[in-house]
Amino acid sequence: MVKVIKNSFKIRKRGRKQSQSSGLPPGTMYFFEENSSKLVNVTHTIYDENNVEIIKTHKTPKIELESAKRPIHWVNVDGLTQKEILSDLGKTFKLHRLLLEDVLNTEHRPKIDFYENHLFFTLKALHFNTETYELDTEQVSFVLGSNFILSFQDRSENAFEKIYERFETGRLKSKHADYLMYSLLDFIVDSYFYVVENIEEAIDDLETDLLAGVEANYLTRIQSIRKVLMLLRKTVFPLRESIITLQKTESMLIAADTQKYFQDLLDHVIHVSESIDYQQNTNTSLKELYISMQGNKMNKTIHLLTLVSTVFIPLTFIVGVYGMNFNNMPELESENGYLIVWTVMILLAILLLLLFKRRKWL
Amino acid sequence: MVKVIKNSFKIRKRGRKQSQSSGLPPGTMYFFEENSSKLVNVTHTIYDENNVEIIKTHKTPKIELESAKRPIHWVNVDGLTQKEILSDLGKTFKLHRLLLEDVLNTEHRPKIDFYENHLFFTLKALHFNTETYELDTEQVSFVLGSNFILSFQDRSENAFEKIYERFETGRLKSKHADYLMYSLLDFIVDSYFYVVENIEEAIDDLETDLLAGVEANYLTRIQSIRKVLMLLRKTVFPLRESIITLQKTESMLIAADTQKYFQDLLDHVIHVSESIDYQQNTNTSLKELYISMQGNKMNKTIHLLTLVSTVFIPLTFIVGVYGMNFNNMPELESENGYLIVWTVMILLAILLLLLFKRRKWL
Amino acid sequence: MVKVIKNSFKIRKRGRKQSQSSGLPPGTMYFFEENSSKLVNVTHTIYDENNVEIIKTHKTPKIELESAKRPIHWVNVDGLTQKEILSDLGKTFKLHRLLLEDVLNTEHRPKIDFYENHLFFTLKALHFNTETYELDTEQVSFVLGSNFILSFQDRSENAFEKIYERFETGRLKSKHADYLMYSLLDFIVDSYFYVVENIEEAIDDLETDLLAGVEANYLTRIQSIRKVLMLLRKTVFPLRESIITLQKTESMLIAADTQKYFQDLLDHVIHVSESIDYQQNTNTSLKELYISMQGNKMNKTIHLLTLVSTVFIPLTFIVGVYGMNFNNMPELESENGYLIVWTVMILLAILLLLLFKRRKWL
Amino acid sequence: MVKVIKNSFKIRKRGRKQSQSSGLPPGTMYFFEENSSKLVNVTHTIYDENNVEIIKTHKTPKIELESAKRPIHWVNVDGLTQKEILSDLGKTFKLHRLLLEDVLNTEHRPKIDFYENHLFFTLKALHFNTETYELDTEQVSFVLGSNFILSFQDRSENAFEKIYERFETGRLKSKHADYLMYSLLDFIVDSYFYVVENIEEAIDDLETDLLAGVEANYLTRIQSIRKVLMLLRKTVFPLRESIITLQKTESMLIAADTQKYFQDLLDHVIHVSESIDYQQNTNTSLKELYISMQGNKMNKTIHLLTLVSTVFIPLTFIVGVYGMNFNNMPELESENGYLIVWTVMILLAILLLLLFKRRKWL
Amino acid sequence: MVKVIKNSFKIRKRGRKQSQSSGLPPGTMYFFEENSSKLVNVTHTIYDENNVEIIKTHKTPKIELESAKRPIHWVNVDGLTQKEILSDLGKTFKLHRLLLEDVLNTEHRPKIDFYENHLFFTLKALHFNTETYELDTEQVSFVLGSNFILSFQDRSENAFEKIYERFETGRLKSKHADYLMYSLLDFIVDSYFYVVENIEEAIDDLETDLLAGVEANYLTRIQSIRKVLMLLRKTVFPLRESIITLQKTESMLIAADTQKYFQDLLDHVIHVSESIDYQQNTNTSLKELYISMQGNKMNKTIHLLTLVSTVFIPLTFIVGVYGMNFNNMPELESENGYLIVWTVMILLAILLLLLFKRRKWL
């Protein structure tokens, strides 16, 4: 029999292990899944105030970086399987070997690193499937220079489609590369709210079921919520630190008026992290409530057992006595023996029940 | 049967979700409930040392901001449904688009933001209904400039009526805009005490009932108190940070002598937050007390069951033996068999009871 | 039947609520108990190196403050019921309206506030009754100027009698106002040790009873200790912060050589607060010990029940079989049937007991 | 019957209370046990690079302090019962009255205080008796000047014998007073390791017994370990702070090259405090393991009870039915009635057992 | 019977105690295992940009330190049993006596110490045996000078074999001594991931078994995981502090471009420590889940017992009544008595079951 558990979250596992690359010299590019024949989607966007050009390819785009602030180049790489593309980008944008190693490490915790002419930012995007209640995390890394952005995604779907649309209508074109990075980060953080609200709903459902006494797989649900919240915590809390570091460092790469936006981003991340705390507390309180309710139920069950036993065990003893086959039992021959025994038993039962009543046992 | 649970708190839900606006470009004004035909109450107060003018309208007031410190303009907007009013105010007071986005986000955590010529402060007002024990939170936002204050409330009731009265009698007129903002914040924080004290009473009742052994829905009450305290915590603790930030920043907008008042406000907020901590601890201690008492009760129940069973089960076995129908049972024919069995049984019972007594079981 | 519970602490409640004054304009003097006819004890002490004059009155003393450092004026007010006295003192010593509001708020958390020419210090005195085990808190406030001290007490008993005695013998006369404030604070903090040690004793008694298996109302005692410790914590921890703030601020009002004494005071407060932590841990550990012991006891009870039941239930079944009235039961007619059944039953019982023994059940 | 509990720690109590001296004016020397006839052991050591002179006496030594750095005077006082000795030392070395008060307070928490020409350091020495498993704490105080050290011990045994030996062989002679104080502190801290390792062993024993199922007084042992660790924590953690304060203050009394040694001392104290944390966690984990194991045991007991009852109660009912004495019971007369009943009962028992098996109950 | 417990971690114990060296004068070299006849493996590597020379010996290598930055000397000592080697190295590299004491203390917590011309770094290497699930810790210490590195290992196996290989191919030769130390530290930290991932797998297995209801020794497994995680925590968290200290100190020994690598190392250590936190939480959650499931199971068992008892105990009483041998029992003689009793009993049973059903007991 398949048991469908309401709102029970699942976490997708990749089976990738950081230790696979351990023992290698530092700065070695380790591919979890190197496959030079698998197509990698590369989107190269070149824009300034007036023009936007979007080139879709499967190879490293040819880029001539100018010293001028414009045009801005955005290279988005969907899929981390081809060594050549990464090396080429590394050479074009003069990336540190440790940076390239970090891009490939899709099990990395969110962090920010500052290099001479660029900065590196890595975080987790969350993909939540409302059908299967499966949560998937994806490593997304950014390299921000004064006039370029590189973005790397582990999965090959183009998650940034909506951002490309904004080039048409929004202020994106007129802003610098730092604003584009903010927009991309904001886009990812926005998706966290979605997950958090789904958890909130699951917790609400859980509480409603619990208080209504609906028979449901509480423990499994509580445990699944707990696990998802722990994963979210691991995803969001280091991100918070990273953004704070970004603000404090006063890098030349982030313009003063973009700082305002990063402050807003930080507000969102703090909001998410407080929601996670709040829901962890709620989940814990529901777990404790459930356990207390179980305790209550057991109390009542044992209470009933004790009541029934305490009343009937002595009575059964009495009827046992007069079931004995001794020759010489005067009560048995007595005319009213049977009646007297019944009277005694009924009185005894009433007595016990009164006793229980007085002790608030009934 | 309807079960009325004493002092069980309820929290009003709005069903608004931050994720509804996710994916939108930053700085987009998202209305949870846009409705241009729904009347919005706008109160425009213009005052200086001598005069106070209060204009009630449903449209954006026409304001000509002068560079002078006086008169001071206070625009209070009750209801967040009309885009036009917000855009107009935004233009008049040169508000940042992120600020306007934050005003509309009624699920925002308390925070403070500094802009070039004004600051933004948002917090939660609490409305507690002593009849229904329902707690409702309302987002209230302020924009403070050197000679103006904007206040935005989600609900359309005029909660600041008492403040308008103070213009008649108090020192409000003679003070600057920063003192008005302090008065409004103080007014909101004062209402927190009311909620906290109601919770305190509910906890006291709970303890009294618990120690008196009154049968009451303890778990539900404890859980409801726990939830309200968690909500309060979420409301009050970020507010504390915000006021500290306000004090530390030494903004030109807050005069030196008003700082004293903000210090007092901070004291109140710290008092509330310490009360919340205290009550969370008390509530936890009551939960644990309740569980321990349940454990004790179960112990006693099982104890009784064991006593009765341990005494009567062997006796019932004995009478069972002499209820057997074997032809050859010499005891049955003996003259004193019946008497002897009774004697044996009574001795056995006494023996067991003595044994229990000695082991402090009785 | 009256149940006397050993060492069970009680906390005296005043029923005063901060919310009673909420909604009032800031700086309003709110009296929890205004009563102009109730006598207020005012003690006015004027002293310098050589002379001490103590004047007891029920009205505001007439004070001409000189700019010189000496003589020093100490005005002690016992009872907070007369508005006039406070307003007069406010005028004489030029006190801020927020300060006067704070003096009257007897539910205030310990804090320190710095004003231009004076500082405000408020804390809780503890009065513990060893007969009734009742703990009462009293708000005590100080205003310290360069050549004056005001002290305000909620209750009308003169708690500082011992300090007046020290003027006769001690160094008090030769020191400045800051040393007097230190002496008063030290006097109050000393009384904390007394409460803490009474709790320590109660916890020791509890542990002794628990390990000796004395039947006592453990849960109520643990809960009462827990509550008292929580109250103490609320009293002592903000005081600690306040003294640290006092030390850090390097106010002109505290002379360099008096700092040494405030450091000593801080040591005492830290000692008390560590004792509170320690005793909270001990109390928790006793609660957990008690619960574990209850669990053990239940285990043993159920164990006995199971042993008796498991041995006798099968035997009772057997004797039940041969109590049946079938015509055709060959065993019944057999000569040795009865003997054989007894043998079988005894063997079965021995077998079960051996089995229990082997599984370490007996 | 005397129950010997394996490795159960005891803590020696002195029954001294800080409150005994409360209410006294600050700086009053309060003796917990003043007794001018009780001999106090005073050891006066005078040393420089070449010579060491050790004078044992029972009175205050006559000391002429020179302004030169050498020779160094070390006065060790074993026993705190004679007022005269303390006053004399106070005069000779110009000690602050608060310092003398602190020396006498043998219930003081570890702390460091800086005076103009000397510093005061107080901590707890631990004496552990491996026979009785009794732990005793002793207050040890130091006063360090540029060319003198005073050490005060509560108990009259000479604990520093080994240090005197080092004057013969070691580098002690060639170093300054600060190095001597380091050596004394190091000597005391080294004794902490001994206690910590005894606790570690007791915890290891506990775990071994627990996993082996040896019947032992687990709760008492866990509780005794818990108490000792809490005491250790109280002893070691403030000491850590004190040493850090000593390092940070950059007092002239500690030479630069001695700092290296104090750093080493701090490392040891941190090591001890981390061990305490670690063992507290381990002890907690064992307590939880024990409780879980008890829960498991109860589960199994109840399981057995339920199995036996569920199988035999229905069978006993059946045999009860055919033990009834109705005249008209056709089954009783039937030839195979008895056989059929047995068959039915056996089938029922098998059925129930199969059912249990399928539900993984057996 | 040998019970093999799945994935149950063991920790290898050395039985070395810090207290063994207590009481010794500071700076004394204490050997846990002094044995001058036991061969110690010493590897002396001399390298510059062009050449690498590796000399394996069992004695102290002769080294003439030049003031030039090159060549770099790396002396690796496997085994800490010969006093002579350590004293010789101490003289050659002018090491402080406290440093030599620390090298020998194989129970040291990870730390960093700065000396005038070199720094000292000690940490734990982890050796995990996947066959026996045994975890072994090894103390590894480093001394880094401007042109030399000393490394000391407790166990005599050459763990750094892979580092020697890198001299052939990698950039090691062209870098300075600080980069070599980074490489060695990185090599050790990489091995932590391996342990952490094995724990992760063990936790995953545990959860799978728990949710599938597989009968397994949960408590022992949870406890073993808990212990290993506590050990890891003790190993990794002080290391984190040490690396942060190294970064902050801006020692001349670490070149600016090597800082980048130490930052990367710190990232790895933070990653490990966050994983430890995460897994401790998961392990706790599984423990709680297990206990709740046990509670559920007990609930169900007692429920069954109560159901069976509550139905059959009254019925057994009834049949007991008609098993009595009174002469005058009219029901017994009645024609339909037997039938009526059966009807009554069946109706009673149905009634009880319906009652249970209605109360959601069935």
Side-chain angles (χ1 to χ4, degrees), chain D residues 197 201 204 260 267 271 288 296 325 331, chain E residues 13 17 19 111 114 287 294 322 324 338:
Chain D
E197 284 163 9
E201 241 165 58
D204 275 1
K260 201 89 228 157
D267 280 349
H271 191 129
E288 291 175 12
N296 262 2
N325 298 320
E331 298 99 319
Chain E
K13 288 200 177 165
K17 291 176 180 171
S19 70
K111 74 160 182 175
F114 296 93
K287 191 198 70 194
Q294 287 296 89
Y322 297 106
M324 291 196 291
Y338 183 52

PDB file of all heavy atoms in Angstrom, chain D residues 197 201 204 260 267 271 288 296 325 331, chain E residues 13 17 19 111 114 287 294 322 324 338:
ATOM      1  N   GLU D 197      40.444  14.830  34.349  1.00  0.00           N
ATOM      2  CA  GLU D 197      40.694  13.473  33.855  1.00  0.00           C
ATOM      3  C   GLU D 197      39.993  12.420  34.705  1.00  0.00           C
ATOM      4  O   GLU D 197      39.572  11.377  34.196  1.00  0.00           O
ATOM      5  CB  GLU D 197      42.195  13.204  33.796  1.00  0.00           C
ATOM      6  CG  GLU D 197      42.839  13.894  32.597  1.00  0.00           C
ATOM      7  CD  GLU D 197      44.336  14.005  32.709  1.00  0.00           C
ATOM      8  OE1 GLU D 197      44.900  13.390  33.637  1.00  0.00           O
ATOM      9  OE2 GLU D 197      44.947  14.703  31.891  1.00  0.00           O
ATOM     10  N   GLU D 201      37.242   9.763  33.261  1.00  0.00           N
ATOM     11  CA  GLU D 201      37.233   8.331  33.543  1.00  0.00           C
ATOM     12  C   GLU D 201      35.875   7.873  34.074  1.00  0.00           C
ATOM     13  O   GLU D 201      35.348   6.841  33.665  1.00  0.00           O
ATOM     14  CB  GLU D 201      38.285   8.017  34.601  1.00  0.00           C
ATOM     15  CG  GLU D 201      39.357   7.075  34.115  1.00  0.00           C
ATOM     16  CD  GLU D 201      40.536   7.102  35.060  1.00  0.00           C
ATOM     17  OE1 GLU D 201      40.332   6.810  36.257  1.00  0.00           O
ATOM     18  OE2 GLU D 201      41.644   7.438  34.603  1.00  0.00           O
ATOM     19  N   ASP D 204      33.579   7.666  31.232  1.00  0.00           N
ATOM     20  CA  ASP D 204      33.865   6.486  30.420  1.00  0.00           C
ATOM     21  C   ASP D 204      33.300   5.231  31.075  1.00  0.00           C
ATOM     22  O   ASP D 204      32.672   4.389  30.413  1.00  0.00           O
ATOM     23  CB  ASP D 204      35.383   6.324  30.241  1.00  0.00           C
ATOM     24  CG  ASP D 204      35.893   7.143  29.080  1.00  0.00           C
ATOM     25  OD1 ASP D 204      35.077   7.832  28.436  1.00  0.00           O
ATOM     26  OD2 ASP D 204      37.100   7.104  28.805  1.00  0.00           O
ATOM     27  N   LYS D 260      54.678  35.570  27.324  1.00  0.00           N
ATOM     28  CA  LYS D 260      54.709  34.282  26.626  1.00  0.00           C
ATOM     29  C   LYS D 260      54.228  33.158  27.548  1.00  0.00           C
ATOM     30  O   LYS D 260      53.480  32.271  27.142  1.00  0.00           O
ATOM     31  CB  LYS D 260      56.167  34.017  26.226  1.00  0.00           C
ATOM     32  CG  LYS D 260      56.337  33.033  25.101  1.00  0.00           C
ATOM     33  CD  LYS D 260      56.302  33.720  23.773  1.00  0.00           C
ATOM     34  CE  LYS D 260      55.376  33.018  22.810  1.00  0.00           C
ATOM     35  NZ  LYS D 260      54.942  33.933  21.769  1.00  0.00           N
ATOM     36  N   ASP D 267      46.404  29.076  27.465  1.00  0.00           N
ATOM     37  CA  ASP D 267      46.148  27.891  26.643  1.00  0.00           C
ATOM     38  C   ASP D 267      45.683  26.737  27.516  1.00  0.00           C
ATOM     39  O   ASP D 267      44.734  26.020  27.176  1.00  0.00           O
ATOM     40  CB  ASP D 267      47.427  27.464  25.906  1.00  0.00           C
ATOM     41  CG  ASP D 267      47.679  28.305  24.674  1.00  0.00           C
ATOM     42  OD1 ASP D 267      46.786  29.059  24.268  1.00  0.00           O
ATOM     43  OD2 ASP D 267      48.785  28.209  24.118  1.00  0.00           O
ATOM     44  N   HIS D 271      42.127  24.942  27.428  1.00  0.00           N
ATOM     45  CA  HIS D 271      42.049  23.491  27.259  1.00  0.00           C
ATOM     46  C   HIS D 271      41.124  22.880  28.312  1.00  0.00           C
ATOM     47  O   HIS D 271      40.239  22.075  27.996  1.00  0.00           O
ATOM     48  CB  HIS D 271      43.456  22.889  27.357  1.00  0.00           C
ATOM     49  CG  HIS D 271      43.521  21.461  26.939  1.00  0.00           C
ATOM     50  ND1 HIS D 271      44.428  20.983  26.035  1.00  0.00           N
ATOM     51  CD2 HIS D 271      42.779  20.402  27.293  1.00  0.00           C
ATOM     52  CE1 HIS D 271      44.244  19.697  25.858  1.00  0.00           C
ATOM     53  NE2 HIS D 271      43.249  19.318  26.617  1.00  0.00           N
ATOM     54  N   GLU D 288      20.641  11.247  28.354  1.00  0.00           N
ATOM     55  CA  GLU D 288      19.589  11.025  27.365  1.00  0.00           C
ATOM     56  C   GLU D 288      19.575   9.578  26.882  1.00  0.00           C
ATOM     57  O   GLU D 288      18.520   8.997  26.655  1.00  0.00           O
ATOM     58  CB  GLU D 288      19.778  11.976  26.184  1.00  0.00           C
ATOM     59  CG  GLU D 288      19.503  13.420  26.563  1.00  0.00           C
ATOM     60  CD  GLU D 288      19.804  14.379  25.426  1.00  0.00           C
ATOM     61  OE1 GLU D 288      20.004  13.890  24.285  1.00  0.00           O
ATOM     62  OE2 GLU D 288      19.855  15.589  25.669  1.00  0.00           O
ATOM     63  N   ASN D 296      12.919   2.205  26.146  1.00  0.00           N
ATOM     64  CA  ASN D 296      12.934   0.962  25.382  1.00  0.00           C
ATOM     65  C   ASN D 296      12.547  -0.228  26.237  1.00  0.00           C
ATOM     66  O   ASN D 296      11.777  -1.096  25.816  1.00  0.00           O
ATOM     67  CB  ASN D 296      14.349   0.711  24.858  1.00  0.00           C
ATOM     68  CG  ASN D 296      14.487   1.168  23.434  1.00  0.00           C
ATOM     69  OD1 ASN D 296      13.540   1.705  22.871  1.00  0.00           O
ATOM     70  ND2 ASN D 296      15.652   0.958  22.848  1.00  0.00           N
ATOM     71  N   ASN D 325     -22.883 -23.043  35.000  1.00  0.00           N
ATOM     72  CA  ASN D 325     -23.679 -24.183  35.474  1.00  0.00           C
ATOM     73  C   ASN D 325     -25.106 -24.211  34.948  1.00  0.00           C
ATOM     74  O   ASN D 325     -26.010 -24.717  35.617  1.00  0.00           O
ATOM     75  CB  ASN D 325     -23.701 -24.158  37.005  1.00  0.00           C
ATOM     76  CG  ASN D 325     -22.300 -24.299  37.570  1.00  0.00           C
ATOM     77  OD1 ASN D 325     -21.502 -25.078  37.065  1.00  0.00           O
ATOM     78  ND2 ASN D 325     -21.993 -23.531  38.618  1.00  0.00           N
ATOM     79  N   GLU D 331     -23.650 -27.869  24.348  1.00  0.00           N
ATOM     80  CA  GLU D 331     -22.249 -28.190  24.058  1.00  0.00           C
ATOM     81  C   GLU D 331     -21.679 -29.144  25.111  1.00  0.00           C
ATOM     82  O   GLU D 331     -20.856 -30.008  24.804  1.00  0.00           O
ATOM     83  CB  GLU D 331     -21.369 -26.921  24.047  1.00  0.00           C
ATOM     84  CG  GLU D 331     -21.729 -25.898  23.003  1.00  0.00           C
ATOM     85  CD  GLU D 331     -22.564 -24.778  23.600  1.00  0.00           C
ATOM     86  OE1 GLU D 331     -23.462 -25.115  24.424  1.00  0.00           O
ATOM     87  OE2 GLU D 331     -22.340 -23.608  23.268  1.00  0.00           O
TER      88      GLU D 331
ATOM     89  N   LYS E  13      41.453   5.273  21.428  1.00  0.00           N
ATOM     90  CA  LYS E  13      41.949   5.945  22.620  1.00  0.00           C
ATOM     91  C   LYS E  13      43.422   5.679  22.808  1.00  0.00           C
ATOM     92  O   LYS E  13      43.885   4.569  22.613  1.00  0.00           O
ATOM     93  CB  LYS E  13      41.180   5.465  23.850  1.00  0.00           C
ATOM     94  CG  LYS E  13      39.786   6.000  23.865  1.00  0.00           C
ATOM     95  CD  LYS E  13      39.187   5.951  25.236  1.00  0.00           C
ATOM     96  CE  LYS E  13      37.808   6.569  25.155  1.00  0.00           C
ATOM     97  NZ  LYS E  13      37.003   6.253  26.330  1.00  0.00           N
ATOM     98  N   LYS E  17      47.481  11.305  29.132  1.00  0.00           N
ATOM     99  CA  LYS E  17      46.828  12.286  29.972  1.00  0.00           C
ATOM    100  C   LYS E  17      47.734  13.487  30.175  1.00  0.00           C
ATOM    101  O   LYS E  17      48.897  13.355  30.527  1.00  0.00           O
ATOM    102  CB  LYS E  17      46.487  11.681  31.324  1.00  0.00           C
ATOM    103  CG  LYS E  17      45.399  10.648  31.245  1.00  0.00           C
ATOM    104  CD  LYS E  17      45.176  10.023  32.589  1.00  0.00           C
ATOM    105  CE  LYS E  17      44.074   8.980  32.489  1.00  0.00           C
ATOM    106  NZ  LYS E  17      43.975   8.218  33.725  1.00  0.00           N
ATOM    107  N   SER E  19      47.713  15.401  32.540  1.00  0.00           N
ATOM    108  CA  SER E  19      48.131  15.543  33.937  1.00  0.00           C
ATOM    109  C   SER E  19      49.430  14.813  34.220  1.00  0.00           C
ATOM    110  O   SER E  19      50.079  15.060  35.226  1.00  0.00           O
ATOM    111  CB  SER E  19      47.046  15.030  34.870  1.00  0.00           C
ATOM    112  OG  SER E  19      46.952  13.638  34.775  1.00  0.00           O
ATOM    113  N   LYS E 111      46.126  25.270  17.897  1.00  0.00           N
ATOM    114  CA  LYS E 111      46.402  26.670  18.240  1.00  0.00           C
ATOM    115  C   LYS E 111      47.520  27.210  17.372  1.00  0.00           C
ATOM    116  O   LYS E 111      48.219  26.467  16.681  1.00  0.00           O
ATOM    117  CB  LYS E 111      46.767  26.799  19.713  1.00  0.00           C
ATOM    118  CG  LYS E 111      48.153  26.297  20.068  1.00  0.00           C
ATOM    119  CD  LYS E 111      48.623  26.897  21.403  1.00  0.00           C
ATOM    120  CE  LYS E 111      50.025  26.412  21.712  1.00  0.00           C
ATOM    121  NZ  LYS E 111      50.585  27.040  22.918  1.00  0.00           N
ATOM    122  N   PHE E 114      52.825  32.937  17.993  1.00  0.00           N
ATOM    123  CA  PHE E 114      53.818  33.707  17.237  1.00  0.00           C
ATOM    124  C   PHE E 114      55.066  33.927  18.077  1.00  0.00           C
ATOM    125  O   PHE E 114      54.980  34.397  19.211  1.00  0.00           O
ATOM    126  CB  PHE E 114      53.224  35.047  16.807  1.00  0.00           C
ATOM    127  CG  PHE E 114      52.084  34.888  15.856  1.00  0.00           C
ATOM    128  CD1 PHE E 114      50.785  34.827  16.319  1.00  0.00           C
ATOM    129  CD2 PHE E 114      52.314  34.755  14.492  1.00  0.00           C
ATOM    130  CE1 PHE E 114      49.722  34.643  15.444  1.00  0.00           C
ATOM    131  CE2 PHE E 114      51.268  34.578  13.609  1.00  0.00           C
ATOM    132  CZ  PHE E 114      49.964  34.526  14.087  1.00  0.00           C
ATOM    133  N   LYS E 287      17.301  11.406  16.780  1.00  0.00           N
ATOM    134  CA  LYS E 287      17.123  10.868  18.133  1.00  0.00           C
ATOM    135  C   LYS E 287      15.710  11.178  18.633  1.00  0.00           C
ATOM    136  O   LYS E 287      15.013  10.297  19.153  1.00  0.00           O
ATOM    137  CB  LYS E 287      18.150  11.497  19.075  1.00  0.00           C
ATOM    138  CG  LYS E 287      18.223  10.828  20.429  1.00  0.00           C
ATOM    139  CD  LYS E 287      18.897  11.739  21.429  1.00  0.00           C
ATOM    140  CE  LYS E 287      18.008  12.922  21.747  1.00  0.00           C
ATOM    141  NZ  LYS E 287      18.649  14.017  22.424  1.00  0.00           N
ATOM    142  N   GLN E 294       9.007   5.544  19.376  1.00  0.00           N
ATOM    143  CA  GLN E 294       8.882   4.598  20.485  1.00  0.00           C
ATOM    144  C   GLN E 294       7.637   4.910  21.300  1.00  0.00           C
ATOM    145  O   GLN E 294       6.893   4.016  21.708  1.00  0.00           O
ATOM    146  CB  GLN E 294      10.108   4.685  21.414  1.00  0.00           C
ATOM    147  CG  GLN E 294      11.378   4.104  20.853  1.00  0.00           C
ATOM    148  CD  GLN E 294      11.275   2.618  20.620  1.00  0.00           C
ATOM    149  OE1 GLN E 294      10.865   2.203  19.534  1.00  0.00           O
ATOM    150  NE2 GLN E 294      11.622   1.840  21.615  1.00  0.00           N
ATOM    151  N   TYR E 322     -22.152 -17.119  36.527  1.00  0.00           N
ATOM    152  CA  TYR E 322     -22.936 -18.335  36.296  1.00  0.00           C
ATOM    153  C   TYR E 322     -22.120 -19.598  36.462  1.00  0.00           C
ATOM    154  O   TYR E 322     -22.576 -20.685  36.168  1.00  0.00           O
ATOM    155  CB  TYR E 322     -23.670 -18.257  34.953  1.00  0.00           C
ATOM    156  CG  TYR E 322     -24.638 -17.116  34.993  1.00  0.00           C
ATOM    157  CD1 TYR E 322     -24.407 -15.935  34.323  1.00  0.00           C
ATOM    158  CD2 TYR E 322     -25.762 -17.200  35.834  1.00  0.00           C
ATOM    159  CE1 TYR E 322     -25.271 -14.872  34.432  1.00  0.00           C
ATOM    160  CE2 TYR E 322     -26.628 -16.137  35.954  1.00  0.00           C
ATOM    161  CZ  TYR E 322     -26.384 -14.976  35.258  1.00  0.00           C
ATOM    162  OH  TYR E 322     -27.225 -13.913  35.390  1.00  0.00           O
ATOM    163  N   MET E 324     -20.890 -19.910  39.497  1.00  0.00           N
ATOM    164  CA  MET E 324     -21.023 -20.086  40.943  1.00  0.00           C
ATOM    165  C   MET E 324     -21.932 -21.267  41.254  1.00  0.00           C
ATOM    166  O   MET E 324     -22.821 -21.617  40.472  1.00  0.00           O
ATOM    167  CB  MET E 324     -21.576 -18.795  41.577  1.00  0.00           C
ATOM    168  CG  MET E 324     -20.567 -17.651  41.528  1.00  0.00           C
ATOM    169  SD  MET E 324     -20.975 -16.295  42.641  1.00  0.00           S
ATOM    170  CE  MET E 324     -22.428 -15.640  41.831  1.00  0.00           C
ATOM    171  N   TYR E 338     -28.976 -19.904  29.249  1.00  0.00           N
ATOM    172  CA  TYR E 338     -27.702 -19.926  28.537  1.00  0.00           C
ATOM    173  C   TYR E 338     -27.743 -19.017  27.319  1.00  0.00           C
ATOM    174  O   TYR E 338     -26.831 -18.193  27.087  1.00  0.00           O
ATOM    175  CB  TYR E 338     -27.396 -21.372  28.137  1.00  0.00           C
ATOM    176  CG  TYR E 338     -26.072 -21.549  27.445  1.00  0.00           C
ATOM    177  CD1 TYR E 338     -24.897 -21.057  28.014  1.00  0.00           C
ATOM    178  CD2 TYR E 338     -25.993 -22.222  26.240  1.00  0.00           C
ATOM    179  CE1 TYR E 338     -23.682 -21.241  27.385  1.00  0.00           C
ATOM    180  CE2 TYR E 338     -24.770 -22.405  25.604  1.00  0.00           C
ATOM    181  CZ  TYR E 338     -23.631 -21.909  26.181  1.00  0.00           C
ATOM    182  OH  TYR E 338     -22.426 -22.087  25.544  1.00  0.00           O
TER     183      TYR E 338
END
